[in-house]
Amino acid sequence: MIWMMKRAIPVLVVATFAAPLQANEKTERPATQFLNGSDVVYAYRTYGPETGRPLILSHRFRANLDDWDPAFLAEISENRPVVTFNSVGVSTSSGNVPTDIESMADSMAEFIRGLGYEKADILGWSMGGFVVQELATRHSELVDRLILVGTGPGGSPKTPAPVEGVFAVATEPEYNADHRAYLFFADAPSSLSRAEASIERIDAHRDPSREPATTVAVMQNQAAAIEAYFSGANGAFGRLGAISAPTLILAGDRDPYFPVAGALHLYSEIPNSRLSVAPM
């Protein structure tokens, strides 16, 4: 694992992974709750204790509440409240999915304020990383610390393209286990073993009768938002320097959708940032 941080000579630390996350047989999925926004009802779940600095998670392309690994949620919510939610139009949240990332960020800001939080730590994964970058510039007062996981910057001449063909896999009508392993893990025995365990945990906790899978219409609107973000039309890359929150950037060394070069650009552009690149 490689760590780099600013405000000093960059530091390189090599470390091994901790033991793989194990499914906790006593872990129970909390009940889905609902929050009324201005013109949308947000579905969400809260994990961990009721008090402490909250961590709010913004999800990936096509995901819903049931697509977080329950072992991951158990691990990070041991000593603090963790909130997952469906954005506008996703699964059990009402409304129509926006076709631009900025509107998704504005909706996330409304959700955070609706929970009564004046400030929170924020984590965004993949497309959710785009959303929270915009949140950190458009609603900076809400963001205490920022975590960007498996994501990249908005479009610019510096932004690397995904591996050829990856978007075709990401937009398959339905994901199977092989699709998810390809998109979120590396083609290596150790990584594929973790993929199998993670997918089994997620699917064992999934309940489509209560949390329906996202639809083709959701995918199409989200894909349009991603395409616009990658095009650079909204100038997101140029706003990275305005992110004031301390930021941790987590990248996989063989991520097919978000090459490490993109994480390096995030690190170089966000002033108070730290980068960790881990072997997948």
Side-chain angles (χ1 to χ4, degrees), residues 200-224:
E200 285 181 358
R201 288 192 297 265
I202 292 170
D203 289 348
H205 283 71
R206 193 185 301 281
D207 187 350
S209 67
R210 296 186 179 184
E211 184 67 19
T214 53
T215 64
V216 171
V218 167
M219 176 181 70
Q220 291 172 338
N221 283 17
Q222 289 180 340

Side-chain angles (χ1 to χ4, degrees), residues 181-262:
Y182 170 74
L183 290 169
F184 310 130
F185 295 85
D187 186 14
S190 61
S191 186
L192 293 176
S193 175
R194 291 194 295 270
E196 182 178 5
S198 177
I199 290 168
E200 285 181 358
R201 288 192 297 265
I202 292 170
D203 289 348
H205 283 71
R206 193 185 301 281
D207 187 350
S209 67
R210 296 186 179 184
E211 184 67 19
T214 53
T215 64
V216 171
V218 167
M219 176 181 70
Q220 291 172 338
N221 283 17
Q222 289 180 340
I226 291 171
E227 184 177 0
Y229 200 74
F230 272 146
S231 76
N234 74 346
F237 191 94
R239 291 195 295 277
L240 290 173
I243 295 178
S244 58
T247 302
L248 175 62
I249 303 159
L250 302 174
D253 64 345
R254 286 175 285 178
D255 189 325
Y257 207 107
F258 296 102
V260 171

Side-chain angles (χ1 to χ4, degrees), residues 58 101 104-105 108 126-136 229:
S58 180
I101 297 296
M104 294 180 187
M108 185 172 184
S126 191
M127 184 190 74
F130 299 163
V131 175
V132 302
Q133 288 173 55
E134 289 297 302
L135 181 76
Y229 200 74

Side-chain angles (χ1 to χ4, degrees), residues 15 28 32 40 89 137 175 181 243 255 266:
E28 294 184 3
T32 302
V40 64
T137 56
Y175 281 161
I243 295 178
D255 189 325
L266 287 173

